[in-house]
Amino acid sequence: MSEGPVFGRVALIGLGLIGASIAHAARRGGAAATLVGWDRAEAVRDRATSLGFLDAVPATAAEAARGADLVILCTPVGAMGEAAAAVAPALAPGAVVSDVGSVKAAVVRTVAAALPDGAAFVPAHPIAGTEHSGPDAGFAELFDGRWCIVTPPPAAPRRAVARVAEFWERLGAKVDEMSPEHHDLVLAVTSHAPHLIAYTMVGVADDMRHVTESEVIKYSAAGFRDFTRIAASDPTMWRDVFLTNREATLEILGRFTEELFALQRAIRTGDGELLFDYFTRTRAIRRGIVEAGQDTPDPDFGRIHRGRAR
Ligand code: NAP
């Protein structure tokens, strides 16, 4: 027996990697009866039209949102307020609004302020991504087996929360719920601080090019290659993440710096026992991630696969 769509008309605002992937996955899972989308860039709208993953690409955000049962904001975090303001006047009574921002507390504040009173707003963050951007980067399998965290405000109607959760499950994701603040702290540890560290390490290697010349590229080992993949992530998206999840990221970076100094001291003083014990503890964390099905045990760390947690 086939299940009907979770929402009738779904409007995606922002047609990059995530917006396009939602469209592909919704199409595959029959999660929406009609899929429409809008992006501020005309070239992106044209490209989305020719890729054919939407039923329609109207000329304005308001036209896309008009009559939609679900509107999902898929822009960079810093543009969420503007995107919410653009769709707000066109929202039908009972329409559900959601987003996919990688930061939640700041986005919840900005978007809620731009929406009409009483609008059903159910923020969400799919923990899935790649280092690629734009509509061509989207693919249906991106969310398969990945978590999508919903962070509904206390006033959000439970029926709307349940439907957004069902929508993400239909896209292949597993759904969890937490507060925006807790989400931001968790993601600062698992995603935001690691990205900053990767950006920094690749920056250091770049600064040393005059010493090492092409050796950085020629002999790049798995560790550095993984850093470069992460550090190739979209500059706009990551600038916005750090500017909007400032407190949690700074808290984690403070702790990181303390640990780094402890390991630096152990290396200086030849404290092999400390290093060994530390690396044994961290190895167990890797094992836990693989056992939880969040990565593959392959020696290439799954690099050949398209979907990566973000
Ligand atoms: P992306 O590929 O760069 O796509 C974002 C699109 O939104 C771009 O085409 C951008 O156009 C457009 N845009 C910017 N401002 C807009 C506005 N005011 N109205 C309409 N469209 C606008 O980015 P993405 O990777 O899909 O990320 C989108 C969101 O998903 C971000 O909030 C990010 O935090 C979140 N997220 C990303 C990942 C990931 O790994 N990439 C994972 C989970 C969640 P311009 O190029 O002209 O700016």
Side-chain angles (χ1 to χ4, degrees), residues 12-22 38-42 44-45 61 73-84 86 99-104 107 124-135 137-138 142-143 191-192 195 233-234 236-238 240-241 308-310:
L12 305 166
I13 307 299
L15 300 175
L17 166 71
I18 300 296
S21 295
I22 291 175
W38 185 80
D39 194 285
R40 70 172 178 184
E42 191 179 354
V44 172
R45 296 200 297 276
L73 309 177
C74 307
T75 68
V77 165
M80 290 286 179
E82 186 188 325
D99 77 293
V100 294
S102 303
V103 174
K104 295 276 57 110
V107 168
H125 175 204
I127 314 292
T130 74
E131 64 276 29
H132 303 297
S133 315
L142 179 62
F143 310 112
S191 173
H192 305 169
H195 269 76
S233 298
D234 190 72
T236 304
M237 170 183 158
W238 285 96
D240 289 1
V241 165
R308 301 289 297 166
R310 192 53 58 91

Side-chain angles (χ1 to χ4, degrees), residues 131-280:
E131 64 276 29
H132 303 297
S133 315
D136 287 271
F139 58 102
E141 300 78 21
L142 179 62
F143 310 112
D144 286 350
R146 296 291 178 193
W147 285 102
C148 179
I149 300 175
V150 292
T151 64
R158 291 312 302 178
R159 168 98 184 107
V161 178
R163 287 178 79 201
V164 169
E166 192 186 344
F167 180 81
W168 278 101
E169 282 165 2
R170 199 70 80 78
L171 267 50
K174 304 178 284 186
V175 178
D176 219 344
E177 188 174 327
M178 61 181 73
S179 73
E181 293 73 21
H182 189 68
H183 165 279
D184 289 354
L185 186 61
V186 170
L187 268 291
V189 177
T190 59
S191 173
H192 305 169
H195 269 76
L196 198 75
I197 292 161
Y199 280 123
T200 313
M201 193 57 231
V202 175
V204 167
D206 188 48
D207 288 344
M208 291 186 66
R209 258 191 322 192
H210 63 285
V211 180
T212 57
E213 303 206 332
S214 62
E215 287 156 339
V216 166
I217 291 167
K218 187 172 170 191
Y219 299 120
S220 82
F224 184 68
R225 279 205 309 263
D226 283 335
F227 276 141
T228 60
R229 184 185 58 73
I230 295 169
S233 298
D234 190 72
T236 304
M237 170 183 158
W238 285 96
R239 176 202 62 196
D240 289 1
V241 165
F242 293 121
L243 293 181
T244 52
N245 197 19
R246 189 168 24 203
E247 275 77 27
T249 308
L250 290 176
E251 162 69 20
I252 301 308
L253 287 174
R255 288 166 181 257
F256 173 81
T257 312
E258 286 172 22
E259 299 278 302
L260 189 65
F261 280 144
L263 293 181
Q264 199 173 322
R265 186 178 153 73
I267 293 169
R268 194 189 316 283
T269 59
D271 190 344
E273 199 180 326
L274 187 146
L275 294 173
F276 186 85
D277 289 350
Y278 201 98
F279 301 156
T280 304

Side-chain angles (χ1 to χ4, degrees), residues 35-36 258:
L35 283 160
V36 301
E258 286 172 22

